[in-house]
Amino acid sequence: MRDNLRIRMGWLHEWVGFVGGLILVITFTAGSLALFDTELTRWMQPELSRYTPAPMTDQALNEVGTLAAEMRSEGANAFITLPTPRDPIIRIQHFDGHAFVGSAYRPDTAFPVATRQTGGGQLFFDLHHSLYYGPFWGNMLTEIAAIGLLVAVGSGVVIHFRSIFTDLLLFRPFASKTRAFMDAHILAGILFLPFMVMMAYTGAVIHAPRLFPMFGGNHHGRPGHERPQQTAHSQHTHTPRTEADDAPAAAPLAPMFHQAEDVFGTGTIGLVLFDHGKVSMTKADSASFAITRDHLEFSETDGTLLKTVRAPDTLHRLGGTLRGLHFIRWAPLPLRWLYFLSGLVGSAMMSGGLVLFLMKHRNQKAGRFDFRLAETLTIAVTTGLPLACLAYLWANRLIWSDIQFRSGIEVRVFFGVWAFSVAHAAWRSFSGRSKQGWNEQCFLFAAFALALLPLDLLTRSMNSFFNGLDVYKAVDLTVIGLGTLAFLIHRRLATP
Amino acid sequence: MIVIAALALWFVALSFHALLQAKLCRIMALPVLPHLPLHLGRLVLPLVALWLCLRLGTVPGVLTWFGTASVAGIIASLALTAISLRQPGRRNLGDRTADAL
């Protein structure tokens, strides 16, 4: 009976794991990078390396508020992000359908910093939660994949239940290749089980309204009637602008900001949103563990306080807590690194699972089209995606900084390289040399990753080079570490 | 600092756990070690790590505790694997053990 259950669970784990795994490797890789989306955006705006952080002044906030109001009067759906320790600069941003883009200003003088246009780390955020496929179908796919992960984890635990504690640290690279891959898959799966379950569960719950739209008209815990969602769809079909929207702000923002800080605490306000003649001083996601988007609403014309909006009930607070656990924007740097490492190991674990699936079916089905297709897709997500991410960073530094539609071109490079990796994987797989496909992509990744540091040094100001570890060096060193790992895998694959 | 200390404590605790497993001792060609200190270490060190992590605050502490356990597990496994690879004749034993599973 017990073995029968294990066999059935094995079948479930294998097929749900493979189909879901193709999406989940993308989700976990992109999610790990999205943990440092702000830092990656800064890396991708090397002009900011010349900037030294300064505290925000009231005058600067008021001036940026006037600029934002002018942009809004010209039809842009602009809002302001205030300086945080992670991004110590004021930005006026708008949603371009996939990412929040805009201009940067010094927080002490409101002097514009001429940064290049880029989607930055937000590409990975979009890829993580919707596969760059829009808020409906994309979210739906990742949502279903998250549920698939929970099924795969549950069935995996049943399969290995008998040896789950005794073999907790068992890894035998000297055994057969299948056994070594299986050990690595189980090792990472069990050790990171709490992380996987927590991320899959919170991720599924956050986007649950996509699967069950009949149970609520809002999303992300934000009542739909209070602030329309800024989505690709809403960009084109937003409500008609009123006269109050179009008029430049009459009231200065600084008094509103201080009033909001009095209510929510010093250093907690992160967003200034504008909507139908109202200004919302909104709590930053990093201000507390639960993301509730509490805010104070002011009249845009005279700055009088209209209302204080807090999470209305326990259900919304619970939703905020789950989002806080998933996004961890509140967390200190060491914890974000732990999440990052856990995400990467999760991605590697699922990649190992995909390879095990191919190993199992290779003997009987190696010549079949569907097997070759599965192998192509596996290569594309395991090595092709990291290659595309790296190409995105390279494109950021090599494309002219003042070219029009720059952020769109960077994204096209990302998808272009990914498409190239799919084509390369298909060529190698359908010609029966899939190992070479993996090997070549690993080598390409290693070569370009190890050369990223010189590229960074050549394409940005070196004023702050000896000022200790900053985001630029952190990104370079992390990529070098990943490149070294890819090179070791390449060496291993090259060994007959 | 707390994160590094928690990582170290988990590393030792998980290594003790591994040394209590006959299969792993066989692979690493280690003699059977006295069980009581290993059992005690396996039990106490994670609690010390938890106490340390909770100094960061309840929620960050618990998340850090779980996170350091996972990362320390990978490090411990790699260290044990390195030890087992240094043992002469481990390759054959590893294969046999693998087949027996």
Side-chain angles (χ1 to χ4, degrees):
Chain A
M1 174 69 186
R2 191 186 292 167
D3 281 343
N4 201 18
L5 178 70
R6 286 183 69 207
I7 289 165
R8 283 168 193 274
M9 287 293 138
W11 183 90
L12 188 70
H13 186 80
E14 183 184 331
W15 284 98
V16 172
F18 183 77
V19 176
L22 289 171
I23 295 173
L24 288 164
V25 171
I26 302 172
T27 308
F28 266 67
T29 307
S32 305
L33 295 171
L35 278 167
F36 290 112
D37 57 349
T38 308
E39 287 76 7
L40 283 168
T41 303
R42 281 181 64 196
W43 190 92
M44 294 174 79
Q45 292 185 325
E47 298 81 9
L48 288 174
S49 63
R50 284 191 292 269
Y51 161 77
T52 43
M56 187 175 73
T57 60
D58 288 356
Q59 189 197 353
L61 179 59
N62 292 337
E63 282 182 31
V64 170
T66 309
L67 286 171
E70 281 171 13
M71 287 181 192
R72 292 181 59 250
S73 67
E74 288 164 9
N77 201 1
F79 65 95
I80 300 169
T81 58
L82 301 178
T84 61
R86 287 177 70 192
D87 190 27
I89 204 144
I90 305 181
R91 291 180 191 269
I92 301 180
Q93 297 193 305
H94 66 274
F95 191 63
D96 74 352
H98 287 287
F100 293 103
V101 292
S103 42
Y105 302 86
R106 292 185 66 99
D108 49 348
T109 59
F111 194 78
V113 183
T115 52
R116 61 189 64 196
Q117 193 194 23
T118 178
Q122 289 182 53
L123 169 71
F124 304 119
F125 190 73
D126 195 354
L127 204 61
H128 168 70
H129 72 78
S130 70
L131 307 173
Y132 209 76
Y133 199 50
F136 186 78
W137 290 111
N139 273 168
M140 184 90 82
L141 272 173
T142 50
E143 175 84 356
I144 292 168
I147 294 167
L149 175 58
L150 289 173
V151 172
V153 165
S155 51
V157 167
V158 171
I159 295 166
H160 300 290
F161 191 73
R162 279 190 294 197
S163 55
I164 211 161
F165 285 109
T166 51
D167 293 352
L168 189 63
L169 301 180
L170 188 65
F171 178 47
R172 291 158 291 183
F174 38 76
S176 66
K177 200 178 278 182
T178 312
R179 172 52 60 186
F181 260 98
M182 182 68 86
D183 278 351
H185 180 69
I186 296 171
L187 177 78
I190 294 174
L191 285 173
F192 289 84
L193 187 72
F195 176 80
M196 309 271 175
V197 172
M198 186 268 285
M199 291 310 267
Y201 178 74
T202 52
V205 171
I206 287 167
H207 291 302
R210 291 279 179 239
L211 282 187
F212 306 104
M214 65 294 278
F215 293 122
N218 57 35
H219 192 42
H220 280 198
R222 294 192 296 263
H225 63 274
E226 284 194 3
R227 191 180 310 138
Q229 271 187 65
Q230 290 176 310
T231 61
H233 182 65
S234 68
Q235 282 290 300
H236 303 295
T237 60
H238 55 72
T239 50
R241 303 184 73 81
T242 63
E243 205 171 295
D245 287 337
D246 295 339
L253 293 180
M256 305 181 208
F257 173 74
H258 291 303
Q259 207 172 335
E261 278 203 326
D262 288 342
V263 174
F264 296 122
T266 307
T268 54
I269 306 301
L271 288 168
V272 184
L273 303 165
F274 305 91
D275 188 29
H276 294 88
K278 290 179 286 188
V279 179
S280 298
M281 288 286 164
T282 308
K283 251 175 82 173
D285 291 349
S286 56
S288 59
F289 169 62
I291 298 176
T292 52
R293 294 279 167 93
D294 295 345
H295 58 275
L296 252 58
E297 270 184 17
F298 298 89
S299 162
E300 195 175 7
T301 47
D302 57 11
T304 51
L305 177 63
L306 299 175
K307 62 177 174 177
T308 304
V309 181
R310 292 179 189 273
D313 49 35
T314 311
L315 193 63
H316 280 83
R317 277 192 291 277
L318 183 63
T321 304
L322 292 178
R323 284 195 298 281
L325 265 177
H326 193 90
F327 297 138
I328 63 150
R329 290 187 181 139
W330 53 274
L333 195 59
L335 188 53
R336 280 218 306 282
W337 272 104
L338 281 177
Y339 262 58
F340 176 76
L341 287 175
S342 303
L344 285 190
V345 173
S347 184
M349 183 274 288
M350 287 170 216
S351 301
L354 297 180
V355 173
L356 277 168
F357 178 90
L358 296 175
M359 281 176 169
K360 183 179 174 189
H361 292 278
R362 186 179 299 277
N363 286 344
Q364 288 90 35
K365 301 174 185 168
R368 282 173 48 173
F369 173 81
D370 47 4
F371 179 83
R372 294 297 180 197
L373 181 65
E375 196 168 55
T376 300
L377 293 175
T378 302
I379 297 174
V381 296
T382 51
T383 52
L385 175 63
L387 201 56
C389 295
L390 193 57
Y392 183 58
L393 297 183
W394 272 80
N396 172 264
R397 291 300 178 88
L398 293 182
I399 296 171
W400 292 272
S401 60
D402 55 352
I403 198 169
Q404 251 196 329
F405 310 116
R406 204 180 169 287
S407 58
I409 296 172
E410 284 177 5
V411 172
R412 277 184 205 154
V413 169
F414 171 83
F415 283 108
V417 169
W418 202 1
F420 164 76
S421 84
V422 174
H424 172 257
W427 171 49
R428 284 305 192 192
S429 179
F430 280 90
S431 60
R433 288 177 293 174
S434 56
K435 191 177 167 187
Q436 260 177 294
W438 255 298
N439 199 0
E440 285 156 359
Q441 292 197 12
C442 270
F443 179 76
L444 261 183
F445 180 86
F448 280 92
L450 295 173
L452 192 75
L453 175 65
L455 176 77
D456 179 34
L457 298 181
L458 287 171
T459 53
R460 75 174 167 92
S461 162
M462 301 298 292
N463 288 351
S464 59
F465 185 72
F466 295 107
N467 290 359
L469 192 66
D470 54 15
V471 286
Y472 301 95
K473 291 184 204 110
V475 170
D476 294 342
L477 293 175
T478 307
V479 172
I480 284 178
L482 294 172
T484 308
L485 193 64
F487 184 71
L488 293 174
I489 295 171
H490 157 72
R491 287 278 304 274
R492 176 92 187 188
L493 283 171
T495 311
Chain B
M1 201 61 204
I2 288 177
V3 173
I4 292 169
L7 269 174
L9 288 164
W10 267 117
F11 173 80
V12 178
L14 288 167
S15 301
F16 283 3
H17 170 79
L19 293 174
L20 282 166
Q21 311 308 321
K23 190 194 289 178
L24 275 162
C25 285
R26 211 166 50 240
I27 288 173
M28 290 185 291
L30 287 175
V32 177
L33 299 167
H35 277 200
L36 185 64
L38 296 179
H39 273 298
L40 271 175
R42 184 174 68 167
L43 191 72
V44 172
L45 294 179
L47 293 175
V48 178
L50 179 63
W51 173 77
L52 267 180
C53 289
L54 286 176
R55 297 179 67 167
L56 298 168
T58 310
V59 177
V62 171
L63 289 174
T64 306
W65 188 65
F66 276 113
T68 48
S70 305
V71 175
I74 294 287
I75 298 170
S77 177
L78 290 176
L80 295 170
T81 304
I83 293 170
S84 60
L85 283 172
R86 291 170 75 96
Q87 304 300 322
R90 285 310 94 192
R91 289 174 182 275
N92 295 336
L93 181 59
D95 279 327
R96 277 209 304 273
T97 313
D99 292 341
L101 288 172

